[in-house]
Amino acid sequence: MDQLRTLIMVHEAGTALGAARILGREQSSVQKQIDTMNRNFRELCGEPLILKQGRGKDVLFTGTGEALVELARGTLGDWLDGIHESRRRLGKTLMVGTTRFTLSYLAGAGERVAEDFRQRGIELKVGHVRTRDVLAKLRTKDVDLVCGSVVTRPEGDDELAAFDVMEWRRSGVSLLTNLSEAELPGHTAPTSALRTLPLVVSASGLMAGVLHTWFGGDYRSKLRIAAEIDTVNYGFELLRSGLLRGCMLVTKGVADAAGDPRLVYGRGLRAVELVNDTGPRLEVLLGAFTRSGERASYDPAHPLNLLWDALAQENARWQREQRWPTAGLEPDPFELANTYNPSES
């Protein structure tokens, strides 16, 4: 196994010296392993793995060498996957993904289980997951649990059938606009009106997914895109500045909260509720997600179940305190998560 790892590092670094630096070993140790493998494979296959190219130049891998590198990557990858699966089953490691603004939920839940995890030697690993990758990270088993937002349908979603879902919030889709009543009258508008309204849209994320569902993958060619932005926060500033006249899709919770005079981001903007007449009705669901049936296969004391229960308690605390927006205290992570570009969260 160590020889295979060394071979991969030489392939990536180009030289024995480069591989030694990556591995934190002496060059002579790496070179000895390479020489041994070269000698053995010359006898086995009639061809060495690596050919020297001269001083200061990267080594040249033969056809046999290239084939063995690919085999080594697969072999070591399978071993690591097996080790991680065993650690996951035994509850020694718990991998958790979170979007930027759902970290508050996880932090609070983590405090509830921290002492138990410490005493049992459980390693809690936390990684940043972009909103568009929330479910994908679970499918590939990069994480055991993820906190984030997905676009779904009120009547149910086949995609979510493969997951256990702890729902924290749901919100419809609305518009924030600086257009006058003469330009966009009333407090509601049909979704079909988006074809004619000047829109500020995110390049990716939840609202891009909404437009994709309603108008197809080529929605940019069907809509009036007045500005394409990287962060929704910039979209708020753009509309407030008056430099551009248009509308931006946000969750209904954000649109409703924009009327609060204490909130700078919505100052001078008007909320317009979208009434669906194009494609399916869509909502943004914020919550925690795991692979379906996995928690049930574990003991109640398994760290995945303990953290899941802690997240449920944390959500109950947020709902009990009703801290957004009426109390004027710390914002609810759901509203913050959708105030910003989901691809950045």
Side-chain angles (χ1 to χ4, degrees), residues 88 138 141 143-144 162-164 289-295:
R88 179 182 290 117
L138 282 171
K141 294 191 174 182
V143 296
D144 303 306
F163 306 97
D164 289 343
F289 307 83
T290 65
R291 288 175 289 275
S292 179
E294 198 161 284
R295 290 187 306 108

Side-chain angles (χ1 to χ4, degrees), residues 191-333:
T191 54
S192 57
L194 295 176
R195 296 180 183 273
T196 60
L197 294 171
L199 298 177
V200 176
V201 300
S202 299
S204 62
L206 291 177
M207 295 307 161
V210 169
L211 293 176
H212 184 284
T213 302
W214 281 343
F215 300 102
D218 59 341
Y219 66 86
R220 286 179 176 80
S221 65
K222 299 176 181 178
L223 304 175
R224 288 181 58 193
I225 307 299
E228 193 160 328
I229 56 177
D230 291 328
T231 66
V232 171
N233 205 34
Y234 179 75
F236 290 128
E237 295 174 1
L238 186 62
L239 291 176
R240 286 203 315 269
S241 72
L243 184 64
L244 180 146
R245 306 286 292 174
C247 311
M248 183 168 62
L249 267 71
V250 295
T251 64
K252 187 176 184 299
V254 170
D256 291 345
D260 192 319
R262 294 168 293 182
L263 302 181
V264 175
Y265 79 79
R267 196 167 296 161
L269 302 181
R270 182 166 58 96
V272 176
E273 184 176 351
L274 285 174
V275 179
N276 185 269
D277 68 348
T278 304
R281 184 183 167 200
L282 299 176
E283 294 179 335
V284 177
L285 184 157
L286 177 90
F289 307 83
T290 65
R291 288 175 289 275
S292 179
E294 198 161 284
R295 290 187 306 108
S297 69
Y298 295 146
D299 185 271
H302 189 281
L304 179 60
N305 285 318
L306 294 180
L307 185 59
W308 184 268
D309 292 342
L311 284 166
Q313 294 175 45
E314 189 64 13
N315 178 52
R317 181 181 72 85
W318 278 98
Q319 299 221 25
R320 190 168 57 248
E321 294 180 4
Q322 290 288 310
R323 293 163 66 181
W324 174 262
T326 54
L329 299 175
E330 183 180 346
D332 184 312

Side-chain angles (χ1 to χ4, degrees), residues 10-316:
V10 172
H11 190 271
E12 293 183 357
T15 65
L17 177 60
R21 287 172 176 166
I22 294 172
L23 295 169
R25 289 161 52 180
E26 294 294 329
Q27 180 183 356
S28 59
S29 171
V30 171
Q31 190 61 57
K32 183 178 179 180
Q33 286 187 313
I34 294 300
D35 291 343
T36 299
M37 286 188 284
N38 260 350
R39 184 172 58 254
N40 290 338
F41 275 86
R42 184 181 285 108
E43 294 175 0
L44 287 169
C45 304
E47 182 179 49
L49 302 178
I50 297 170
L51 299 174
K52 293 182 180 179
Q53 292 287 87
R55 188 175 181 83
K57 294 183 179 180
D58 287 357
V59 297
L60 175 66
F61 274 73
T62 65
T64 301
E66 292 286 354
L68 188 62
V69 167
E70 290 306 308
L71 183 61
R73 286 198 175 108
T75 300
L76 292 178
D78 290 344
W79 271 84
L80 288 173
D81 288 346
I83 291 169
H84 291 324
E85 187 63 35
S86 294
R87 289 180 63 85
R88 179 182 290 117
R89 178 176 52 82
L90 295 172
K92 295 299 183 182
T93 301
L94 189 64
M95 303 289 294
V96 181
T98 175
T99 56
R100 180 180 172 190
F101 291 104
T102 57
L103 190 57
S104 298
Y105 279 97
L106 182 59
E111 290 180 3
R112 297 175 186 270
V113 298
E115 182 59 24
D116 186 14
F117 280 21
R118 186 190 66 79
Q119 292 182 3
R120 294 168 58 186
I122 298 168
E123 183 180 14
L124 177 63
K125 293 186 175 182
V126 180
H128 175 216
V129 174
R130 295 184 183 278
T131 301
R132 61 176 176 265
D133 296 328
V134 163
L135 300 182
K137 290 290 186 181
L138 282 171
R139 291 192 190 95
T140 57
K141 294 191 174 182
D142 290 334
V143 296
D144 303 306
L145 181 151
V146 66
C147 305
S149 300
V150 298
V151 175
T152 186
R153 306 181 185 191
E155 66 275 11
D157 194 321
D158 291 341
E159 186 179 25
L160 292 181
F163 306 97
D164 289 343
V165 181
M166 181 192 301
E167 182 177 321
W168 294 338
R169 306 285 192 279
R170 275 184 186 260
S171 180
V173 180
S174 294
L175 290 175
L176 275 181
T177 184
N178 60 4
L179 296 177
S180 66
E181 284 277 356
E183 296 169 295
L184 179 58
H187 300 292
T188 64
T191 54
S192 57
L194 295 176
R195 296 180 183 273
T196 60
L197 294 171
L199 298 177
V200 176
V201 300
S202 299
S204 62
L206 291 177
M207 295 307 161
V210 169
L211 293 176
H212 184 284
T213 302
W214 281 343
F215 300 102
D218 59 341
Y219 66 86
R220 286 179 176 80
S221 65
K222 299 176 181 178
L223 304 175
R224 288 181 58 193
I225 307 299
E228 193 160 328
I229 56 177
D230 291 328
T231 66
V232 171
N233 205 34
Y234 179 75
F236 290 128
E237 295 174 1
L238 186 62
L239 291 176
R240 286 203 315 269
S241 72
L243 184 64
L244 180 146
R245 306 286 292 174
C247 311
M248 183 168 62
L249 267 71
V250 295
T251 64
K252 187 176 184 299
V254 170
D256 291 345
D260 192 319
R262 294 168 293 182
L263 302 181
V264 175
Y265 79 79
R267 196 167 296 161
L269 302 181
R270 182 166 58 96
V272 176
E273 184 176 351
L274 285 174
V275 179
N276 185 269
D277 68 348
T278 304
R281 184 183 167 200
L282 299 176
E283 294 179 335
V284 177
L285 184 157
L286 177 90
F289 307 83
T290 65
R291 288 175 289 275
S292 179
E294 198 161 284
R295 290 187 306 108
S297 69
Y298 295 146
D299 185 271
H302 189 281
L304 179 60
N305 285 318
L306 294 180
L307 185 59
W308 184 268
D309 292 342
L311 284 166
Q313 294 175 45
E314 189 64 13
N315 178 52

